[in-house]
């Protein structure tokens, strides 16, 4: 299988992302990371062989573990140091991998956030785990944005439940770590790129009591700049209609953290497992739609929006562009694209999105939030 590009299409458009080397880390550490990335690419290539040789794989993993020890020696932050140690110990597999992965998810690294080892890929592509690596530095300004959403979440959920007339409650939700990616290899560097990983589930460790999402802020920003913004002319939107370049990440992270929290919002009787047994793909699509809609409604919650200086009309336009970006992936290949397809159809039915691509599309920003609330009520009735 040619796993570099997925899904199979007649052509693929490649957009590049600059990954500058952080000036906060010493050159010797960066050199070791560069070597690790090359070795992880080699590991991923070995996995593609029809008859991979276990000896080669083991030797590569031993060498990577040794280099990780060298990386650890350069780190000053205790959690960053400990995380690299967990990765090195878990890399060789066995019971240690699950234990170390869960332990790492509970850390709060302030210097270096990384992963080296097996990682899941797109669901439709394969259910197997493939070797991957990524390295990033914490993005503290955007972390404060995420933390602000968290601080308001409980009260915002109460307000949302009252507005929607539904006894919504939140399950235990995962932590959030926002980083600037500067190194990536293996399956994680294939196409299309993920801009977030859910750990340790994406490492193959299910039902962990400790969970966190790691977000590559610069990858996410580039997806918006280079794909989502391409759709703006369909609506005749100008730069002034959208978040400014120096504030767009604040809008994106607010919504995406809301989306993550949205996955935890349920009713007391919610049982997605039953829906999954009936239609697993449909269950994933509807869960993504619920998380999207809840995330949007949390983002326009007045205390959250005012605390983060978000303009509702600009947030709405950004959100619509993101729905179009997700839709381009293909609703049959990606659950989040299926979610976008559902929402865009419902928004069109509600009359807040109209027009045609030839004459220009329109968005009724005054009626949009009300339409999203109605969509949320419909989804709650149908799926929660």
């Amino acid at each position: 299988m040619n796993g570099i590009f997925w899904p199979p299409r007649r052509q693929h458009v490649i957009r590049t992302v600059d990954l500058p080397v952080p000036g906060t880390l010493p050159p010797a550490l960066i050199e070791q990371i560069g070597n690790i990335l090359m070795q992880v690419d080699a590991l991923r290539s070995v996995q593609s062989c029809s008859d991979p040789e276990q000896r080669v794989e083991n030797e590569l993993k031993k060498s990577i573990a040794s280099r990780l020890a060298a990386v650890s020696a350069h780190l000053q932050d205790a959690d960053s140091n400990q995380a690299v140690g967990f990765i090195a110990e878990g890399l060789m597999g066995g019971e240690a991998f699950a234990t170390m992965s869960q332990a790492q998810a509970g850390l709060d690294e302030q210097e270096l956030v990384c992963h080296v080892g097996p990682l899941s890929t797109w669901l439709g592509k394969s259910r197997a785990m493939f070797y991957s690596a990524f390295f990033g530095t914490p993005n503290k300004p955007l972390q404060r944005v995420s933390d602000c959403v968290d601080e308001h979440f409980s009260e915002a959920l109460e307000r949302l439940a009252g507005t929607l007339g539904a006894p919504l409650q939140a399950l235990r939700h995962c932590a959030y770590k926002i980083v600037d990616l500067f190194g990536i290899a293996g399956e994680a560097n294939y196409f299309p790129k993920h801009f977030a990983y859910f750990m340790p589930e994406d490492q193959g460790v299910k039902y962990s009591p400790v969970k966190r999402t790691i977000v590559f802020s610069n990858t996410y920003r580039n997806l918006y700049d280079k794909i989502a913004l391409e759709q703006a002319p369909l609506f005749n939107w100008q730069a002034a209609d959208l978040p400014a370049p120096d504030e767009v990440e604040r809008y994106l992270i607010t919504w995406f953290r809301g989306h993550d929290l949205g996955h935890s919002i349920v009713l007391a009787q919610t049982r997605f497992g039953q829906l999954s047994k009936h239609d697993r793909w449909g269950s994933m699509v509807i869960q993504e739609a619920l998380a999207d809609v809840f995330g949007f409604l949390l983002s326009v919650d007045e205390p959250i929006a005012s605390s983060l200086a978000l303009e509702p009309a600009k947030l709405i336009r950004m959100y619509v562009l993101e729905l179009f970006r997700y839709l381009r992936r293909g609703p049959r290949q990606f659950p989040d694209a299926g979610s976008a397809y559902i929402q865009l159809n419902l928004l069109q039915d509600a009359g807040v999105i109209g027009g045609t691509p030839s004459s220009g599309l329109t968005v009724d920003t005054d009626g949009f939030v009300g339409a999203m609330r109605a969509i949320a009520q419909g989804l709650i009735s149908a799926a929660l």
Side-chain angles (χ1 to χ4, degrees), residues 157 161-162 164-170 265-269 380:
L157 180 58
L164 300 179
L168 301 173
Q169 56 186 252
I265 298 175
V266 297
L267 300 175
Q269 67 270 25
I380 289 168

Side-chain angles (χ1 to χ4, degrees), residues 157-179:
L157 180 58
E158 289 183 14
R159 289 188 288 271
L160 183 60
T163 300
L164 300 179
L168 301 173
Q169 56 186 252
L171 303 174
R172 182 177 179 180
H173 50 266
C174 66
Y176 221 55
K177 192 68 179 178
I178 304 174
V179 307

Side-chain angles (χ1 to χ4, degrees), residues 306-317:
S306 61
S307 295
L308 294 170
L310 306 180
E311 297 180 40
K314 290 184 177 181
L315 178 67
I316 288 166
R317 296 184 190 109

Side-chain angles (χ1 to χ4, degrees), residues 28-47:
L29 183 150
I30 297 297
E31 181 181 1
Q32 290 291 351
I33 288 174
N35 289 325
I36 290 170
L37 294 173
M38 287 189 290
Q39 290 181 307
V40 171
D41 276 334
L43 269 176
R44 178 63 185 90
S45 296
V46 168
Q47 285 184 298

Side-chain angles (χ1 to χ4, degrees), residues 157-359:
L157 180 58
E158 289 183 14
R159 289 188 288 271
L160 183 60
T163 300
L164 300 179
L168 301 173
Q169 56 186 252
L171 303 174
R172 182 177 179 180
H173 50 266
C174 66
Y176 221 55
K177 192 68 179 178
I178 304 174
V179 307
D180 291 323
L181 183 72
F182 69 87
I184 188 166
E187 178 68 24
N189 200 31
Y190 288 178
F191 299 92
K193 295 285 190 293
H194 292 265
F195 69 87
Y197 284 99
F198 185 44
M199 304 300 224
E201 183 170 317
D202 283 341
Q203 296 166 274
V205 181
K206 308 297 183 182
Y207 313 114
S208 169
V210 183
K211 304 172 184 177
R212 70 170 175 177
T213 299
I214 298 177
V215 182
F216 305 153
S217 62
N218 46 347
T219 304
Y220 191 15
R221 169 64 184 271
N222 272 270
L223 288 169
Y224 177 79
D225 285 348
K226 296 183 178 182
I227 302 177
L229 277 179
E230 286 184 352
Q231 320 307 315
L234 294 173
F235 301 89
N236 296 312
W237 288 337
Q238 307 302 313
D241 298 316
L242 298 164
D246 63 349
E247 63 184 16
V248 67
E249 288 174 303
R250 190 168 74 248
Y251 281 75
L252 290 169
I253 291 298
T254 300
W255 171 73
F256 192 51
R257 180 50 172 162
H259 168 95
D260 226 45
L261 293 170
H263 276 295
S264 73
I265 298 175
V266 297
L267 300 175
Q269 67 270 25
T270 299
R271 298 291 185 273
F272 284 123
Q274 296 177 4
L275 178 59
S276 183
K277 289 178 182 178
H278 175 70
D279 181 354
R280 186 163 187 260
W281 186 261
S283 174
M284 289 187 292
V285 170
I286 204 71
Q287 287 181 65
E288 290 301 320
L290 282 161
D292 280 357
V293 174
F294 287 147
F296 173 82
L297 293 174
L298 289 171
S299 299
V300 296
D301 179 75
E302 199 281 329
I304 291 176
S306 61
S307 295
L308 294 170
L310 306 180
E311 297 180 40
K314 290 184 177 181
L315 178 67
I316 288 166
R317 296 184 190 109
M318 181 215 76
Y319 184 71
V320 170
L321 293 180
E322 280 290 274
L323 289 179
F324 271 64
R325 177 177 71 80
Y326 278 112
L327 184 65
R328 286 178 51 161
R329 286 182 169 181
R332 295 182 178 180
Q333 282 84 32
F334 300 88
D336 46 19
S339 164
Y341 179 80
I342 289 172
Q343 291 175 73
L344 289 168
N345 273 281
L346 293 174
L347 289 165
Q348 184 181 41
D349 290 345
V352 295
I353 292 183
T356 65
S358 58
S359 63

Side-chain angles (χ1 to χ4, degrees), residues 77-98:
D77 171 56
D79 276 15
S80 300
N81 190 298
Q82 192 172 19
V84 173
F86 286 153
I87 292 169
E89 289 186 56
L91 185 60
M92 302 310 294
E95 295 181 2
F97 178 78

